[in-house]
Amino acid sequence: MCNLYSMRKSRDELLRLFRIARADEEIPQNMPAIFPDAIAPIVRLDETGSRHLTKMRWGFPPPPKGSRPVTNIRNTDSPYWRNWLRPEYRCLVPATSFCEWTDMRPKVPHWFALREERPLFAFAGLWRPWRGERKGRSGEHLLYAFLTTEANDLVRPIHAKAMPVILSEEEAWDRWLTGSVEEALKLQFPLAPMQLGIVTRGEVEDRG
């Protein structure tokens, strides 16, 4: 389970890389540690089918018997996710690295990135509107979570259970945002281990 990631780029870099057609003015940027319930940038399609850079809160509402926001999505066969897998509720979650703690104590954070210089990539995300109370504020909220999959050979020795679904290329971004449910879910597999590296150990923030 990934409950911490970073996004260490500016709004302008997000606009350029993700080919954004429309963007909100106040976009969080240069975030070394993003925890559940934080507000962070996401990319979704607007009503014209163009990419819209906006911000949302991390974590779907908990299921009926749960108590914590749902940040990671593994079982996409569950009826809980069926409605939100439609293209209009898919999004890209920009990131530069993600953190997993060791399964054994002492729990040591390890940060994974595509390369040492930490280029932008995206998690395969879902979003939804929701009315309720979050962080002391009642009303309408826009919430997101992202898909996970089995851990690859690099992540597994640190955290064996899962890793995020990472989309690193334009073709994958477009397929995730616009493809059929069947085509989009073909992207739910682990990134090849040679495409990732451990860039920081023992730090709760990735300041690289």
Side-chain angles (χ1 to χ4, degrees), residues 97-155:
S97 63
F98 69 94
C99 184
E100 300 286 7
W101 273 266
T102 48
D103 289 327
M104 304 292 291
R105 294 188 181 276
K107 298 285 187 179
V108 179
H110 288 65
W111 287 89
F112 298 84
L114 297 186
R115 295 189 297 276
E116 191 66 33
E117 60 271 28
R118 297 161 174 78
L120 270 166
F121 59 85
F123 299 128
L126 303 178
W127 74 276
R128 63 165 291 176
W130 179 73
R131 174 174 284 277
E133 182 174 344
R134 290 288 287 271
K135 301 293 281 186
R137 187 174 72 84
S138 296
E140 291 286 346
H141 299 268
L142 296 179
L143 308 175
Y144 74 93
F146 52 75
L147 272 62
T148 61
T149 184
E150 62 184 296
N152 66 20
D153 289 343
L154 179 68
V155 177

Side-chain angles (χ1 to χ4, degrees), residues 38-71:
I39 299 288
I42 68 101
V43 178
R44 65 172 178 174
L45 298 183
D46 65 15
E47 60 279 1
T48 71
S50 299
R51 292 182 187 177
H52 175 199
L53 178 64
T54 186
K55 59 186 178 184
M56 296 187 185
R57 188 176 298 279
W58 187 15
F60 267 46
K65 295 183 179 180
S67 59
R68 296 182 178 181
V70 179
T71 57

Side-chain angles (χ1 to χ4, degrees), residues 14 36 45 83-84 87 92 138 147 175 190 198-200:
L14 291 172
L45 298 183
N83 185 59
W84 310 114
L92 303 173
S138 296
L147 272 62
R175 187 170 13 145
I198 298 172
V199 292
T200 305

